[in-house]
Amino acid sequence: IIYGPICFLAKVDGTLCFSRQTVETVDLDWDNLEFALLPTDYMYMMKCCQNGTFSKGELLRYGPLELSPSSGVLHYGQGLFEGLKAYRKEDGSILLFRPQENALRMRIGADRMCMPSPTIDQFVDAIKLTVLANKRWVPPTGKGSLYIRPLLIGSGAVLGVSPAPEYTFLVFVSPVGNYFKEGLAPINLIVENEYHRASPGGTGGVKTIGNYASVLRALKKAKENGYSDVLYLDCIHKKYLEEVSSCNIFVVKNKVISTPEVNGTILPGITRKSIIDVARGQGYQVEECPVSVEELLDADEVFCTGTAVVVAPVGSITYLERRQVYGNKGLGVVSRQLYSSLTRLQMGLSEDKMGWTMQLD
């Protein structure tokens, strides 16, 4: 364990004074942190039976779960998850980024999956408790973040196809570095022409566990061939962009930023939503509309957004036999500017005029 002194300024009766706060952190190689699971100290759990009301939750030591072999999540995939992050400020305090948005998205997804869901207050309180119980695992400013994984599953036993009789809500955390090993360096995508991630009327617009199992085959093949990730097209026309395996996508042309509209097959990303607001606040024209693969290949700049990646510039796109390389190897002005603006806000390095961050005591 490392105890690091943090100095900061405080104004007392008009006089600037120095103060010190001691921050306890785990002894890790923070400079080489990967996006991978590091088990921490505690997780949070609460349960809900058939009346739809969740019982009071509790913190437990991080460890295995006990589930019936007939749990609904194991047979029929009745499960949702969320992802958000906590950041350590330079004064040692901890910030959450828009947890209410994750709570709302889980409630919308739970309704689609015929599941009860924690209230927004229950969700946010669970996040706070879990992060504070594991605060020694929050990386120093600029060295990464604490990834938070809320999970809602049908834990009750079923045999026939039906909603589970019991549900479990869990929260666990892990310190993480960059999702892509490239960091802010450009990634290389391949457009998938055979498999589709989602279809109209399906569950592509909610964060259900089954959405991600379906991308694994194409993703594995892409990585074996040297690509960072896969970009999916719509399943009807097979020409309009949907999203990358775990990210939303943006296209820049003549200072106009375009991103596929959320229409039920695309996950409404919270980072996506935030980037749109930040970009508009900086004077960019942002359009949510159908974006064709031809527009993608003719773009000045392309980037992805997501909780894990924040903003990932795209260096090249491969579609069928064509490989399009973007200027400056993909590290464009717009993606760099938006990445800097959002990450500085998330880490408390700039003023939060949006009211998006939540400081934990």
Side-chain angles (χ1 to χ4, degrees):
I1 297 172
I2 296 175
Y3 293 86
I6 306 262
C7 298
F8 57 95
L9 292 171
K11 184 174 283 190
V12 181
D13 296 328
T15 303
L16 286 175
C17 303
F18 282 94
S19 180
R20 264 185 197 279
Q21 177 178 329
T22 298
V23 176
E24 177 190 358
T25 58
V26 178
D27 186 9
L28 289 178
D29 182 2
W30 298 112
D31 291 319
N32 294 297
L33 198 59
E34 298 179 350
F35 195 92
L37 178 66
L38 285 174
T40 55
D41 298 325
Y42 295 97
M43 63 182 185
Y44 180 92
M45 179 186 294
M46 67 177 177
K47 292 183 178 288
C48 173
C49 294
Q50 291 180 336
N51 62 6
T53 302
F54 280 86
S55 61
K56 184 177 180 180
E58 60 180 338
L59 287 168
L60 304 170
R61 295 296 297 189
Y62 180 86
L65 302 176
E66 182 176 322
L67 282 176
S68 165
S70 295
S71 293
V73 66
L74 299 179
H75 294 261
Y76 304 118
Q78 201 180 18
L80 296 163
F81 72 93
E82 280 294 326
L84 62 158
K85 289 178 176 178
Y87 297 85
R88 193 180 295 281
K89 293 177 64 177
E90 290 182 324
D91 67 2
S93 60
I94 298 170
L95 289 179
L96 296 177
F97 184 71
R98 309 192 77 176
Q100 299 95 332
E101 292 289 332
N102 294 89
L104 179 60
R105 188 168 65 179
M106 176 168 275
R107 289 184 65 81
I108 293 170
D111 181 68
R112 174 64 178 85
M113 299 298 289
C114 203
M115 306 169 73
S117 178
T119 66
I120 290 177
D121 286 343
Q122 285 176 320
F123 183 102
V124 174
D125 287 346
I127 299 301
K128 291 179 179 178
L129 284 171
T130 310
V131 171
L132 289 173
N134 294 286
K135 62 183 179 180
R136 70 194 190 106
W137 295 88
V138 182
T141 305
K143 302 294 185 181
S145 58
L146 188 72
Y147 187 84
I148 307 163
R149 173 53 59 86
L151 180 65
L152 179 63
I153 60 172
S155 51
V158 293
L159 190 58
V161 180
S162 66
E166 178 194 79
Y167 296 87
T168 299
F169 175 70
L170 298 159
V171 182
F172 66 90
V173 298
S174 175
V176 296
N178 291 317
Y179 183 78
F180 292 117
K181 65 179 185 297
E182 297 92 339
L184 188 60
I187 61 173
N188 300 298
L189 302 179
I190 183 168
V191 178
E192 176 56 46
N193 202 44
E194 180 181 357
Y195 298 108
H196 296 281
R197 178 189 162 275
S199 60
T203 59
V206 298
K207 207 166 176 67
T208 178
I209 58 178
N211 291 347
Y212 297 85
S214 65
V215 306
L216 295 179
R217 184 179 181 88
L219 182 59
K220 179 176 181 291
K221 181 181 177 182
K223 291 191 172 184
E224 288 173 348
N225 289 316
Y227 298 101
S228 308
D229 213 324
V230 176
L231 173 60
Y232 293 89
L233 301 178
D234 75 291
C235 67
I236 297 176
H237 303 95
K238 299 184 180 181
K239 62 177 286 187
Y240 294 107
L241 311 187
E242 294 233 312
E243 61 182 271
V244 181
S245 300
S246 58
C247 317
N248 295 114
I249 193 158
F250 288 76
V251 171
V252 183
K253 182 68 176 179
N254 297 329
K255 298 184 179 180
V256 176
I257 303 173
S258 302
T259 189
E261 59 187 335
V262 174
N263 56 9
T265 59
I266 297 172
L267 186 73
I270 294 160
T271 307
R272 172 191 182 275
K273 181 179 181 180
S274 304
I275 283 291
I276 290 173
D277 288 344
V278 169
R280 286 175 174 162
Q282 294 180 354
Y284 287 103
Q285 179 181 339
V286 183
E287 298 180 348
E288 298 180 73
C289 58
V291 181
S292 70
V293 71
E294 289 79 12
E295 293 173 273
L296 171 75
L297 297 174
D298 188 48
D300 299 327
E301 185 178 344
V302 179
F303 61 90
C304 300
T305 65
T307 297
V309 303
V310 187
V311 174
V314 175
S316 73
I317 295 281
T318 299
Y319 174 60
L320 299 177
E321 300 300 319
R322 177 178 173 182
R323 183 172 186 263
Q324 176 64 42
V325 178
Y326 297 98
N328 196 26
K329 298 182 180 179
L331 196 56
V333 173
V334 176
S335 57
R336 280 185 293 178
Q337 181 180 342
L338 295 178
Y339 174 84
S340 177
S341 297
L342 190 60
T343 54
R344 286 183 60 80
L345 190 156
Q346 290 173 326
M347 293 186 287
L349 298 174
S350 62
E351 183 183 357
D352 179 13
K353 298 178 180 179
M354 301 287 195
W356 287 344
T357 57
M358 178 182 293
Q359 183 160 320
L360 302 186
D361 298 324

